[in-house]
Amino acid sequence: MSGAFTGKLAVVTGGASGIGAACVLQLRDQGASVFIGDVQAEPDTPEYLDVTNRDSVDAFFSALDRAPDVLITCAGGASRSPALDVDEAAMETTLSLNFGGFWRCAQEASRRAVAENKPLAIVHVGSSLHRGPAPDLSHFAAAKAASMTMVRCLAQELAAHDIRVNAVVPGPVETPATKSLWDASPDIREALDRATPLGRIGQPDDVVPAILFLASPEAAWSTGTVLTIDGGMDVAS
Ligand SMILES: NC(=O)c1ccc[n+]([C@@H]2O[C@H](COP(=O)([O-])OP(=O)(O)OC[C@H]3O[C@@H](n4cnc5c(N)ncnc54)[C@H](O)[C@@H]3O)[C@@H](O)[C@H]2O)c1
């Protein structure tokens, strides 16, 4: 298979489901060798990755035969809770997954790329909620905001090593994470469709091209960039 990623080694965290799984399919289609890192894999297999655990992140990247050329960080999510009910445990878990998970994987992949003196393209999948407000998801929004700041910090500090760090910020996308909620409350889904200037919520394949662009050699002069892909929700009146 030939394509923009022929001969490239790509890692997709959270690649077993949703947006990450759609990235995996497209990357393979465009010639990449793709390693999925996900908690849905069997423990004790090379594909098992818990991004909230430093030892797991270390073991996952150590099992690769070389530093990846591309890292896409999709692992994320949160349970819903009104701001007044978010407790210490929920806040810690959410930060460790959505901010810490990105930071640990970006750091480990970058350390290996620097040691091997090879370029690396990192694309983090954030969320349009990072700007707030985010009813019942304040903990998640704040964690995603921290990850956006880390994207910009790493982009600046790692550019000298030819490591690019960019982000894609999706609006609401239909994935296993959201579908069950929307299936249970069709009125929420309809309200989101109506609130989106382009008339509908997104599908994973609406977001993947932006992620792959930032991961590809075509984005060789882009770092610290945040691409919002949200059907126009950010400019809704
Ligand atoms: N779906 C949306 O509306 C939407 C909108 C904006 C941003 N996002 C973000 O996009 C990313 C992907 O979301 P999705 O909707 O495809 O969700 P999803 O639940 O379909 O996929 C998330 C994947 O992450 C994995 N994962 C969870 N915890 C993990 C951990 N500790 N270590 C490794 N893997 C772990 C899950 O097993 C799953 O495969 C998330 O970061 C999410 O916050 C989603």
Side-chain angles (χ1 to χ4, degrees), residues 81-215:
S81 178
L84 293 185
D85 296 337
V86 175
D87 61 16
E88 291 288 337
M91 181 57 90
E92 261 180 47
T93 303
T94 307
L95 279 170
S96 187
L97 174 56
N98 293 284
F99 164 67
F102 162 64
W103 167 67
R104 287 180 200 96
C105 293
Q107 192 185 51
E108 287 295 339
S110 297
R111 283 175 173 163
R112 283 164 169 77
V114 170
E116 293 176 27
N117 197 22
K118 63 183 275 199
L120 169 65
I122 300 174
V123 184
H124 177 54
V125 176
S127 167
S128 57
L129 294 179
H130 77 93
R131 289 180 289 267
D136 296 342
L137 285 167
S138 60
H139 47 325
F140 172 76
K144 288 291 192 184
S147 72
M148 284 300 113
T149 302
M150 184 58 78
V151 163
R152 290 174 53 79
C153 291
L154 293 179
Q156 187 271 329
E157 228 176 299
L158 300 180
H161 296 288
D162 209 0
I163 295 175
R164 300 186 297 104
V165 190
N166 293 290
V168 167
V169 165
V173 175
E174 185 168 12
T175 67
T178 50
K179 196 173 181 317
S180 54
L181 175 73
W182 294 339
D183 283 351
S185 313
D187 48 323
I188 295 181
R189 157 108 198 213
E190 282 163 24
L192 284 169
D193 282 340
R194 277 198 307 276
T196 309
L198 289 178
R200 61 172 177 84
I201 59 152
Q203 296 297 320
D205 282 344
D206 290 317
V207 181
V208 172
I211 299 172
L212 265 56
F213 164 68
L214 288 171

Side-chain angles (χ1 to χ4, degrees), residues 14 17-19 38 40 49-51 74 76 125-126 140 144 170-171 173 175 177:
S17 176
I19 296 169
D38 202 295
Q40 288 190 42
L49 170 66
D50 178 359
V51 299
C74 287
V125 176
F140 172 76
K144 288 291 192 184
V173 175
T175 67

Side-chain angles (χ1 to χ4, degrees), residues 54-77:
R54 174 65 71 167
D55 290 343
S56 176
V57 173
D58 193 21
F60 176 85
F61 283 101
S62 297
L64 303 177
D65 65 0
R66 61 189 198 274
D69 304 284
V70 168
L71 169 67
I72 297 174
T73 55
C74 287

